[in-house]
Amino acid sequence: MLPRVLLATDRSSFEQAWRAAGAECSFEIETCKPAQLAEHLADADGLVIDGDSSFYDEDELLVAVGLAKSKGLLVAVMVSLNQKLGGEPDLLNEMCEGLVVNYTHPVSEMAFRVERRIDKDRERRFEYLTVCPNGKDLLAIDGQARAWVLSRPLSAEDDESEVQAITLSDDARFAVLSFNNGKTLELIAEHIFKSKNAQSTPQSIDDDPSFALNNAELGPRLKALRLQKGLTQAEVARRSGIHRPNIARVEAGRHTPSLETLRRLADAIGVSTAEILAQVNS
């Protein structure tokens, strides 16, 4: 059964734009009037709120998002009237995990973000897998943007030879490691992440002493991507819910962000976390 995304809108143009974008995504769309939202949340997996509906002011937006979050739903808000965000834009952005965007943002891109995050199987996939800077252990990131360092040996068959290549399956559910001794080892994402969930709490990059991003590379990389997209720090701050001075510190190489912060910045810029890490660690 496909995930179900609920659109809270009373504008046909908003619904039509989302149905067109949703046709390219793996989720079903149902629409409800904003005033009837509470009656339709029970069977939904995600909610997209049309913040430009005349029904919503700042308080109504917070109530709608709060109700959906209380039921464990993914929530996204599209709004073009900045004054509607009132005095709590950071709170709204945090509740929506960075999924509050200007209505001029492409609906197709927003739909892709919703599709990715609403995927119930994403914790069973590798979002990113690479060798750590120490040249030995592996950094694994799952589809929920949780990251762990996988200490070697990974199994009884792992003699800790140098990794020559990492190949992900088309569905990213497993990876094949090729070593310089000619041997290979298959890693199944579901087994890896299930085991890590049972053993420990997921770590952020800056909580793990064995994996440290090079600030001198990460900051300029983020800045270059932001400029390529024609975005200001202020716009990235608005999209991500991260204060602009903090973004400036990251871009200047004075602060290493957690993986969650990096994910929010990547979403705001319109790139993947994996793309940033691949460039920084290449």
Side-chain angles (χ1 to χ4, degrees):
M1 180 182 297
L2 293 176
R4 177 170 164 265
V5 173
L6 183 64
L7 302 181
T9 183
D10 50 14
R11 297 190 304 148
S12 60
S13 59
F14 186 88
E15 179 180 359
Q16 290 170 4
W18 266 90
R19 289 198 178 278
E24 304 298 323
C25 297
S26 299
F27 56 73
E28 296 179 346
I29 290 178
E30 180 177 327
T31 304
C32 74
K33 300 294 185 182
Q36 301 170 342
L37 176 61
E39 305 168 19
H40 292 262
L41 289 176
D43 298 322
D45 299 293
L47 169 67
V48 178
I49 296 175
D50 176 10
D52 279 6
S53 165
S54 59
F55 178 84
Y56 289 114
D57 57 17
E58 177 189 352
D59 289 336
E60 290 293 350
L61 276 175
L62 286 173
V63 169
V65 173
L67 278 174
K69 294 294 289 185
S70 73
K71 297 183 180 299
L73 273 63
L74 174 78
V75 187
V77 176
M78 299 194 76
V79 57
S80 62
L81 303 178
N82 290 334
Q83 60 265 33
K84 279 200 174 184
L85 299 182
E88 299 294 342
D90 287 349
L91 174 59
L92 196 63
N93 263 298
E94 188 170 359
M95 292 173 71
C96 295
E97 302 176 58
L99 290 180
V100 177
V101 301
N102 193 290
Y103 190 71
T104 58
H105 201 73
V107 173
S108 58
E109 186 173 320
M110 188 65 157
F112 171 77
R113 293 186 188 183
V114 170
E115 179 186 35
R116 177 182 174 277
R117 296 201 200 173
I118 209 171
D119 180 5
K120 295 178 181 178
D121 286 332
R122 62 183 180 145
E123 64 181 10
R124 300 183 177 90
R125 298 189 178 100
F126 290 109
E127 177 72 18
Y128 186 66
L129 184 64
T130 191
V131 178
C132 284
N134 65 15
K136 175 185 174 184
D137 301 322
L138 301 179
L139 171 70
I141 303 174
D142 72 7
Q144 291 183 316
R146 299 174 301 182
W148 299 272
V149 170
L150 308 180
S151 300
R152 297 183 64 193
L154 299 168
S155 69
E157 293 76 28
D158 181 7
D159 63 5
E160 301 187 50
S161 295
E162 181 181 352
V163 177
Q164 291 295 308
I166 300 175
T167 305
L168 293 181
S169 62
D170 290 341
D171 60 6
R173 289 180 179 271
F174 69 87
V176 175
L177 307 182
S178 301
F179 302 104
N180 63 357
N181 62 5
K183 295 182 178 180
T184 60
L185 178 66
E186 181 179 295
L187 298 181
I188 301 175
E190 183 174 6
H191 294 172
I192 292 288
F193 297 129
K194 182 178 180 180
S195 173
K196 298 300 290 186
N197 274 325
Q199 294 175 15
S200 60
T201 301
Q203 301 178 43
S204 66
I205 288 172
D206 50 1
D207 287 336
D208 193 329
S210 66
F211 182 78
L213 286 175
N214 185 338
N215 289 2
E217 297 178 1
L218 176 62
R221 174 64 181 160
L222 282 168
K223 182 177 180 180
L225 288 169
R226 174 176 62 78
L227 293 176
Q228 286 174 15
K229 298 288 186 177
L231 300 172
T232 63
Q233 287 183 348
E235 176 62 14
V236 172
R238 190 191 67 77
R239 292 185 179 187
S240 66
I242 299 170
H243 293 296
R244 192 198 62 76
N246 293 337
I247 296 174
R249 290 174 60 217
V250 171
E251 289 190 354
R254 297 195 301 270
H255 174 68
T256 302
S258 68
L259 185 64
E260 171 62 18
T261 297
L262 188 61
R263 180 189 63 74
R264 289 168 63 185
L265 289 172
D267 278 352
I269 294 171
V271 299
S272 69
T273 307
E275 180 181 347
I276 295 172
L277 291 175
Q279 292 296 324
V280 170
N281 290 323
S282 60

